[in-house]
């Protein structure tokens, strides 16, 4: 694949998707006339919440195909660039491709223009990608992301959720999507306080995932047997930082202990 | 009817080369040197917004001297090609050598076929996993591609600068030694360059996936100040 030396009249600008289209590699081209696709792996519960000076994002690691677990280690929450992250629920294949494209788009723009896109601009870019995927979504290959990050202009964490048409909604507190979104959002709603400290926000995110996995079969809980834990990350003025598995193991043990304790019948 | 004058091909090529060389010599020079952690790129550039050194890909940087609009167009070509290649193959498949070849083709083609050659000289640098695999590709206005070792100097007064570097440069230098050496070579014996006059960037093996980073004026000042130059 060769990219030509563009002149002023046919230059595709700083957009990576536009560039791909101009060389005949449309990432969102859909096969027309194909009936709904079923049986593709799906990803599940992802969430984000604001905390003091930043945001916390979290997501389980399970991908399912019908009643079968197709992957136990999928990472559905990934850094989009240094100051933002994206979490995806929906058809795994399409979602992973969209994440890759989105990451590339941010980096491509940054390199061509010499500065990063604003946080709101990034959310808008993602919304356009979701919208471009509408054709595939109608065939059953929907992708619904969450976008969150630290806004250096406003010095605060911000987060957005999306619908399948590309609708973009900024949330003030928290958001959860995927099949386990119901229980996860309930836990977040009960536990959320404005200006939650980072550690408290991480704990709350883990509790929400724990409860989602407890009820929703398509959401994976902490896998102690294999040492696989959800992806939990903080994004603040220092950028994206993933919480390491050792810390998560301790945290989930603590949550399990609380559960056990609450079940004991007082004698 | 006007009869075109006969111009010997040798003369035509020489005229074009002279034209390009003159344009390039008007601009200021740029130096790339290997140092302990990777490759250091320094150029004289009073502007803080119009860059002569930039990032192409994870391990690849671009530098140009001469006409800004011309080398910037080449830079954008490089970023686009690298990103599309990394997208359709893998990030590991993007390498400086093939990009340098593309540049050589474009510059060579323009030199012989277009009305005017490009008045630029460019450098494609790639930092390897260890110093022995670092690469510096220097491409001239006529498409001549030179694979250089250790140091590379572009632009006006390149010979004198390269001469100064041979006695002072070492690939084993840390950044705080390599930068004063490169700046002194650029400045020459009669001048002093301050952080404000230069643009500095590194391709460092310590930077994680994206090896390229710029040094802010304050960082440059701190290094130049403490070295006593």
């Amino acid at each position: 694949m060769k990219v030509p030396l563009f002149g002023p009249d046919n230059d595709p600008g700083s957009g990576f998707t536009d560039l791909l289209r101009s060389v005949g590699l449309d990432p969102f081209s859909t096969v027309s006339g194909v009936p709904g696709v079923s049986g593709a792996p799906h990803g599940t519960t992802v969430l984000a919440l604001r905390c003091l000076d930043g945001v916390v994002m979290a997501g389980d690691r399970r991908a399912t195909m019908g009643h079968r677990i197709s992957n136990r280690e999928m990472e559905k929450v990934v850094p989009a660039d240094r100051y933002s992250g994206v979490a995806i629920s929906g058809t795994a294949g399409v979602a992973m491709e969209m994440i890759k494209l989105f990451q590339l788009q941010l980096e491509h723009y940054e390199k061509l223009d010499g500065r990063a896109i604003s946080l709101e601009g990034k959310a808008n870019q993602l919304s356009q990608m979701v919208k471009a995927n509408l054709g595939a979504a109608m065939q059953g290959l929907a992708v619904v992301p969450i976008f969150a990050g630290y806004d250096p202009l406003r010095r605060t964490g911000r987060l957005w959720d999306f619908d399948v048409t590309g609708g973009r909604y900024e949330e003030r507190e928290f958001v959860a999507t995927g099949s386990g979104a119901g229980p996860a959002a309930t836990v977040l709603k009960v536990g959320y306080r404005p200006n939650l400290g980072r550690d408290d926000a991480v704990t709350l995110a883990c509790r929400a995932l724990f409860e989602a996995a407890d009820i929703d079969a398509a959401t994976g809980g902490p896998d102690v047997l294999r040492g696989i834990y959800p992806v939990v990350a903080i994004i603040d003025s220092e950028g994206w930082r993933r919480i390491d598995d050792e810390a998560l193991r301790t945290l989930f043990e603590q949550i399990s202990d609380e559960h056990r304790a609450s079940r004991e019948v007082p004698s | 009817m006007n009869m075109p004058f006969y111009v010997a091909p040798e003369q035509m090529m020489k005229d074009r080369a002279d034209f390009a060389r003159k344009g390039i010599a008007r601009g200021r020079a740029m130096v790339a040197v290997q140092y302990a952690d990777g490759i250091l790129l320094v150029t004289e550039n009073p502007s803080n917004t119009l860059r002569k050194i930039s990032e192409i890909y994870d391990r690849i940087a671009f530098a140009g001297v001469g006409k800004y609009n011309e080398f910037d167009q080449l830079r954008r070509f490089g970023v686009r090609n690298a990103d599309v290649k990394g997208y359709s193959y893998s990030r590991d498949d993007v390498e400086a050598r093939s990009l340098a070849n593309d540049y050589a083709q474009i510059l060579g083609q323009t030199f012989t076929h277009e009305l005017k050659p490009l008045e630029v000289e460019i450098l494609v640098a790639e930092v390897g996993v260890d110093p022995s695999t670092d690469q510096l590709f220097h491409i001239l206005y006529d498409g001549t591609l030179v694979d250089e070792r250790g140091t590379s100097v572009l632009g006006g007064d390149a010979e004198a600068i390269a001469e100064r570097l041979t006695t002072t440069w070492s690939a084993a230098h840390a950044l705080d030694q390599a930068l004063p050496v490169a700046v002194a070579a650029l400045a020459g014996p009669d001048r002093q360059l301050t952080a404000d006059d230069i643009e500095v960037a590194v391709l460092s093996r310590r930077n994680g996936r994206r090896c390229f980073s710029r040094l802010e004026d304050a960082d440059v000042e701190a290094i130049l100040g403490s070295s006593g130059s």
Side-chain angles (χ1 to χ4, degrees), chain A residues 155-230:
Chain A
R155 302 201 180 162
T156 178
R158 297 173 76 186
L159 53 94
W160 285 266
D161 68 337
F162 299 83
D163 63 27
V164 75
T165 64
R168 170 170 57 95
Y169 314 97
E170 181 163 7
E171 303 289 341
R172 288 162 175 273
E173 300 178 335
F174 60 83
V175 62
T177 86
S179 55
T186 307
V187 175
L188 290 175
K189 189 168 168 54
V190 170
Y192 187 82
R193 304 280 175 276
N195 294 331
L196 214 54
R198 275 174 217 160
D199 292 347
D200 292 341
V202 168
T203 310
L204 183 58
C206 289
R207 275 183 211 282
L209 281 181
F210 189 92
E211 297 304 337
D214 202 35
I215 290 180
D216 176 35
T219 298
D223 190 340
V224 185
L225 193 64
R226 298 178 185 82
I228 301 169
Y229 292 92

Side-chain angles (χ1 to χ4, degrees), chain B residues 13-81:
Chain B
M13 290 300 142
K14 190 178 168 300
D15 287 352
R16 285 172 175 230
D18 285 346
F19 173 80
R21 264 201 293 266
K22 259 186 225 157
I24 293 161
R26 269 198 294 273
R28 297 169 204 217
M30 112 107 220
V31 169
V33 295
Q34 255 187 317
Y35 75 107
D37 294 333
I39 297 166
L40 167 70
L41 303 118
V42 186
T43 179
E44 268 191 75
N45 185 358
S47 167
N48 274 328
T49 44
L50 302 177
R51 303 294 192 180
K52 293 161 83 172
I53 305 169
S54 5
E55 176 184 18
I56 293 274
Y57 210 63
D58 294 351
R59 316 190 71 88
I60 306 174
F62 172 97
V65 297
K67 268 190 106 174
Y68 177 80
N69 66 323
E70 293 181 350
F71 68 71
D72 196 57
Q73 193 198 17
L74 293 172
R75 175 187 73 87
R76 297 171 78 88
F77 168 87
V79 172
R80 284 175 175 150
N81 261 288

Side-chain angles (χ1 to χ4, degrees), chain A residues 2-241:
Chain A
K2 263 269 112 72
V3 179
L5 189 66
F6 293 105
D9 48 343
N10 61 353
D11 194 294
S14 305
F16 188 63
T17 315
D18 298 332
L19 172 65
L20 288 179
R21 288 203 180 101
S22 74
V23 296
L25 269 180
D26 186 353
F28 294 107
S29 60
T30 47
V31 189
S32 58
V34 176
V37 183
S38 61
H42 270 70
T44 32
T45 307
V46 289
L47 58 92
L49 68 148
R50 281 177 77 188
C51 63
L52 192 64
D53 307 327
V55 282
V56 168
M57 301 186 85
D60 76 303
R61 306 281 291 270
R62 181 174 290 178
T64 52
M65 270 170 76
H67 294 293
R68 192 169 164 269
I69 296 173
S70 60
N71 195 317
R72 297 174 195 276
E73 295 186 77
M74 214 172 97
E75 299 197 348
K76 290 171 266 182
V77 180
V78 295
D81 65 358
R82 192 159 170 235
Y83 290 109
S84 64
V86 57
I88 292 252
S89 65
T91 313
V94 185
M96 288 300 144
E97 173 72 8
M98 192 180 287
I99 287 179
K100 178 180 158 191
L101 203 62
F102 183 57
Q103 289 170 325
L104 271 170
Q105 163 66 23
L106 302 190
E107 191 184 315
H108 187 73
Y109 182 101
E110 186 186 324
K111 287 191 288 193
L112 276 189
D113 267 40
R115 69 181 188 93
I117 313 178
S118 68
L119 194 67
E120 183 137 4
K122 291 173 195 168
N124 199 12
Q125 281 287 313
L126 186 57
S127 138
Q128 286 164 20
M129 284 185 185
V130 176
K131 190 179 169 199
N133 191 53
L134 189 59
M138 290 294 118
Q139 296 177 346
L141 304 174
V143 174
V144 183
I146 297 173
F147 177 71
Y150 177 76
D151 189 339
L153 293 175
R154 291 169 183 79
R155 302 201 180 162
T156 178
R158 297 173 76 186
L159 53 94
W160 285 266
D161 68 337
F162 299 83
D163 63 27
V164 75
T165 64
R168 170 170 57 95
Y169 314 97
E170 181 163 7
E171 303 289 341
R172 288 162 175 273
E173 300 178 335
F174 60 83
V175 62
T177 86
S179 55
T186 307
V187 175
L188 290 175
K189 189 168 168 54
V190 170
Y192 187 82
R193 304 280 175 276
N195 294 331
L196 214 54
R198 275 174 217 160
D199 292 347
D200 292 341
V202 168
T203 310
L204 183 58
C206 289
R207 275 183 211 282
L209 281 181
F210 189 92
E211 297 304 337
D214 202 35
I215 290 180
D216 176 35
T219 298
D223 190 340
V224 185
L225 193 64
R226 298 178 185 82
I228 301 169
Y229 292 92
V231 179
V232 184
I234 300 175
I235 312 169
D236 58 14
S237 57
E238 287 165 48
W240 162 282
R241 291 194 306 287

Side-chain angles (χ1 to χ4, degrees), chain B residues 11-223:
Chain B
Q11 185 61 42
M12 200 157 77
M13 290 300 142
K14 190 178 168 300
D15 287 352
R16 285 172 175 230
D18 285 346
F19 173 80
R21 264 201 293 266
K22 259 186 225 157
I24 293 161
R26 269 198 294 273
R28 297 169 204 217
M30 112 107 220
V31 169
V33 295
Q34 255 187 317
Y35 75 107
D37 294 333
I39 297 166
L40 167 70
L41 303 118
V42 186
T43 179
E44 268 191 75
N45 185 358
S47 167
N48 274 328
T49 44
L50 302 177
R51 303 294 192 180
K52 293 161 83 172
I53 305 169
S54 5
E55 176 184 18
I56 293 274
Y57 210 63
D58 294 351
R59 316 190 71 88
I60 306 174
F62 172 97
V65 297
K67 268 190 106 174
Y68 177 80
N69 66 323
E70 293 181 350
F71 68 71
D72 196 57
Q73 193 198 17
L74 293 172
R75 175 187 73 87
R76 297 171 78 88
F77 168 87
V79 172
R80 284 175 175 150
N81 261 288
D83 277 349
V84 170
K85 195 167 182 184
Y87 170 78
S88 42
Y89 298 92
S90 141
R91 295 199 86 89
D92 300 335
D93 295 315
V94 181
E95 40 156 26
R97 191 182 48 87
S98 74
L99 187 60
N101 270 316
D102 289 344
Y103 281 138
Q105 291 299 328
I106 292 174
L107 285 163
Q109 193 76 5
T110 313
F111 183 77
T112 39
H113 296 287
E114 298 293 323
L115 196 60
K116 160 191 124 43
L118 293 174
E119 297 160 73
V120 295
E121 229 177 285
I122 58 179
L123 178 82
V124 181
E126 178 174 342
V127 63
V129 284
D130 56 64
S132 65
T133 49
D134 286 351
Q135 292 174 330
L136 295 169
F137 293 104
H138 181 174
I139 305 129
L140 303 182
Y141 55 88
D142 61 352
T144 307
L145 175 57
V146 194
D147 174 11
E148 299 192 307
R149 291 270 147 241
T151 66
S152 181
V153 185
L154 279 69
D157 212 20
E159 273 167 34
I161 296 171
E163 179 69 35
R164 287 197 280 273
L165 269 180
T166 49
T167 53
T168 52
W169 166 80
S170 154
H173 278 161
L175 182 61
D176 56 1
Q177 296 165 296
L179 182 59
V181 164
V183 174
L186 265 183
D190 314 320
R191 289 192 307 158
Q192 282 255 328
L193 289 174
T194 66
D196 219 22
D197 306 323
I198 55 175
E199 180 185 340
V200 184
V202 292
L203 277 173
S204 167
R205 273 179 278 276
R206 291 165 183 252
N207 276 356
R209 176 172 72 83
R210 287 171 80 178
C211 299
F212 183 88
S213 65
R214 294 186 189 283
L215 267 69
E216 300 302 326
D217 277 359
D219 305 331
V220 174
E221 226 157 76
I223 295 174

